[in-house]
Amino acid sequence: MYNFESAKISYAAMGIDIEKALETLADIPISLHCWQGDDVLGFDGSDSLDGGIQTTGNYPGRARTPDELMADIEKAMSLMPGKKRLNLHASYAFLGDDKGKIDRDAYEPRHFAKWVEFAKRIGLDGIDFNPTFFGHPKMKNGLTLSSPDDETRDFWIRHGIATRRIAQYFADEMGSPCLFNVWIPDGLKDVPADRLGPRLLLKDSLDKIFAEKLPGVIDAVESKVFGIGVESYTVGSNEFYQNYAALNGICCLLDNGHYHPTEVVSDKIPALLAFHDKIALHITRGVRWDSDHVVLFEDEVKEIAKEIVRNNAINKVLIGLDYFDASINRIGAWVMGQHSVQKALLYALLSPDAQMRDLQNNASFGKLMFMQEKIKTLPLGAIWEEYLARQGLNDDWYSEIEEYEDKVLSFRK
Ligand code: RNT
Ligand code: ZN
């Protein structure tokens, strides 16, 4: 039970327009990553994860087939408020009779037609796409686009080019631009003898992948600080990609699990907004060595949401989720993370930003601190429940997860 009317009074007393916040929130697209449902394995042959990323746990009910994954995504999305997009990886191609005959460098739009059909059927806002540079035998010594081996590098360049065309296909079909995000696992476990060489090769590979003009595609590059087994050197580091993106007029994708522990993406967003028209996010939760725990309604996520909202950057920041937990019900994990981001955005939308900016500009820092603390205990829960109720949802969604587990997941042995 919640009391929306009394909550409204508390917010109105601070000059906050709840109706406007609810309306705005319902219109902010969040791109849901398909890979939470099957522990990032995909459909094109990989049976274990590599590239420095890992899922831990073996909770029963993993989606084993495309049909199962789609059913799970549909279930998860049915419990999520707001506008939704689907974020796919190339490894989720429907190869059909081409299985075993063609490789990742020859994937075509038709291998993704079923995804388009699915996205249209459940009324999604759009599809985003990622070439898959891991979980494949053509990675050589852990390297792809920065490999010194020409054949290896060329294969992955062709994969990038082919998948970018598929991104254009998604944009055309869905009538919405497709974010095409390049993340590669390339790096070294131990001290390199050459740090520049691989980066120059990566730069050249990216130039080739991004060369074709594709108007529906928003190109992005995602940096990382380290991965498991590649602790000493990451070719696609933050400085490398930020410069690449700036000089080539493309987008940086910031994954908040990919930085040193005291570095925060919330501070990087306004830094990049000073120069970029678009920024993409992978919202996740880093815990010690793992960059991919389920997103919760915690401080850094709130801070990220504030930077998007108060800088009028809702149309500039493309929000996606990226985490994978195999130790709990996977559908519950999806819903939890999406709700957490929506809650954080709501929290940010219900903040007297103009007033607080004035306090900062007038150096009224004591009062600013007072206001910031006051906001934390306003009755957000009541507004959140109202938001869910207006979309035919409620905050007791876990019973639906349990039911789905009973009726569907428990039969997957
Ligand atoms: C890995 C990156 C990357 C992947 C997905 C599966 O550290 O975050 O975004 O998680 O592409
Ligand atoms: Zn990521």
Side-chain angles (χ1 to χ4, degrees):
M1 270 310 282
Y2 60 94
N3 192 332
F4 181 57
E5 292 311 319
S6 84
K8 238 170 148 173
I9 297 169
S10 311
Y11 281 99
M14 294 188 76
I16 297 164
D17 183 345
I18 290 175
E19 290 301 330
K20 191 166 160 237
L22 292 178
E23 213 175 281
T24 307
L25 181 60
D27 215 35
I28 303 176
I30 295 183
S31 199
L32 191 77
H33 55 312
C34 74
W35 51 90
Q36 160 60 43
D38 75 331
D39 307 345
V40 211
L41 292 179
F43 310 149
D44 70 349
S46 164
D47 53 14
S48 66
L49 195 51
D50 56 21
I53 52 177
Q54 216 172 58
T55 46
T56 49
N58 54 359
Y59 195 84
R62 182 181 83 80
R64 299 155 306 174
T65 64
D67 285 345
E68 288 179 355
L69 187 64
M70 282 180 177
D72 293 357
I73 292 172
E74 194 172 350
K75 179 72 204 177
M77 285 189 172
S78 76
L79 299 171
M80 295 173 183
K83 207 183 241 188
K84 292 163 285 269
R85 300 172 64 85
L86 181 61
N87 198 4
L88 294 173
H89 245 286
S91 52
Y92 292 79
F94 286 86
L95 294 175
D97 292 343
D98 284 336
K99 198 157 196 159
K101 290 192 199 134
I102 67 156
D103 212 337
R104 280 191 192 163
D105 58 340
Y107 287 3
E108 290 179 30
R110 66 192 164 88
H111 298 117
F112 293 86
K114 285 214 170 100
W115 281 117
V116 168
E117 203 181 288
F118 172 75
K120 285 183 181 168
R121 178 171 66 75
I122 65 170
L124 300 183
D125 175 60
I127 298 179
D128 298 308
F129 200 42
N130 305 263
T132 312
F133 294 100
F134 54 85
H136 190 279
K138 283 264 164 50
M139 285 172 76
K140 196 170 177 191
N141 304 318
L143 303 177
T144 63
L145 294 179
S146 74
S147 169
D149 176 58
D150 292 344
E151 201 189 308
T152 301
R153 217 172 52 254
D154 287 346
F155 172 84
W156 289 110
I157 292 169
R158 288 196 304 276
H159 175 61
I161 292 171
T163 48
R164 201 163 159 268
R165 290 182 182 149
I166 298 167
Q168 176 66 47
Y169 157 75
F170 287 140
D172 292 339
E173 285 289 330
M174 300 302 295
S176 168
C178 173
L179 178 71
F180 175 81
N181 174 50
V182 172
W183 173 74
I184 61 164
D186 299 32
L188 291 179
K189 182 183 175 78
D190 239 310
V191 188
D194 177 10
R195 289 185 172 89
L196 177 59
R199 288 186 172 136
L200 293 176
L201 290 172
L202 173 57
K203 183 170 167 242
D204 181 66
S205 298
L206 293 172
D207 288 347
K208 291 179 172 137
I209 291 173
F210 295 132
E212 189 176 359
K213 257 206 142 12
L214 294 173
V217 179
I218 301 174
D219 294 310
V221 281
E222 176 182 8
S223 74
K224 194 167 179 178
V225 62
F226 81 94
I228 306 162
V230 277
E231 288 86 1
S232 298
Y233 169 67
T234 298
V235 184
S237 62
N238 179 48
E239 292 73 12
F240 175 86
Y241 279 136
Q242 266 192 21
N243 280 286
Y244 188 87
L247 290 169
N248 292 281
I250 67 167
C251 189
C252 285
L253 185 142
L254 313 178
D255 179 315
N256 60 302
H258 287 190
Y259 297 90
H260 292 283
T262 57
E263 249 184 300
V264 282
V265 160
S266 52
D267 189 60
K268 296 178 190 298
I269 292 170
L272 289 178
L273 282 174
F275 300 96
H276 288 261
D277 174 50
K278 285 228 168 346
I279 304 171
L281 299 181
H282 271 181
I283 303 189
T284 185
R285 179 166 54 104
V287 178
R288 304 194 189 280
W289 62 268
D290 179 45
S291 62
D292 301 293
H293 273 52
V294 179
V295 177
L296 302 177
F297 181 54
E298 39 114 51
D299 286 350
E300 173 56 4
V301 180
K302 290 182 206 168
E303 220 55 42
I304 287 172
K306 284 192 213 166
E307 292 300 336
I308 298 172
V309 169
R310 67 188 173 198
N311 294 316
N312 290 324
I314 287 172
N315 296 320
K316 297 182 179 173
V317 181
L318 311 173
I319 304 174
L321 308 180
D322 181 15
Y323 51 82
F324 21 100
D325 192 335
S327 76
I328 56 174
N329 181 299
R330 293 169 183 78
I331 293 130
W334 256 324
V335 179
M336 182 62 79
Q338 196 266 3
H339 278 215
S340 302
V341 173
Q342 288 258 312
K343 248 184 247 172
L345 289 164
L346 181 61
Y347 181 76
L349 286 162
L350 294 173
S351 166
D353 292 329
Q355 207 181 327
M356 296 206 295
R357 187 173 292 124
D358 283 350
L359 291 174
Q360 175 175 327
N361 289 338
N362 295 326
S364 303
F365 298 121
K367 185 158 184 204
L368 175 58
M369 186 186 280
F370 166 80
M371 291 273 289
Q372 284 172 328
E373 288 303 294
K374 196 168 165 60
I375 290 168
K376 290 183 182 169
T377 53
L378 287 177
L380 181 75
I383 315 293
W384 171 246
E385 298 218 27
E386 174 69 13
Y387 175 68
L388 292 174
R390 289 186 187 186
Q391 298 188 39
L393 300 168
N394 66 65
D395 208 24
D396 286 319
W397 53 272
Y398 211 81
S399 54
E400 291 228 25
I401 299 292
E402 288 168 326
E403 199 186 314
Y404 190 74
E405 184 160 318
D406 260 14
K407 293 202 172 128
V408 181
L409 303 184
S410 65
F411 294 98
R412 295 181 190 166
K413 300 287 179 214

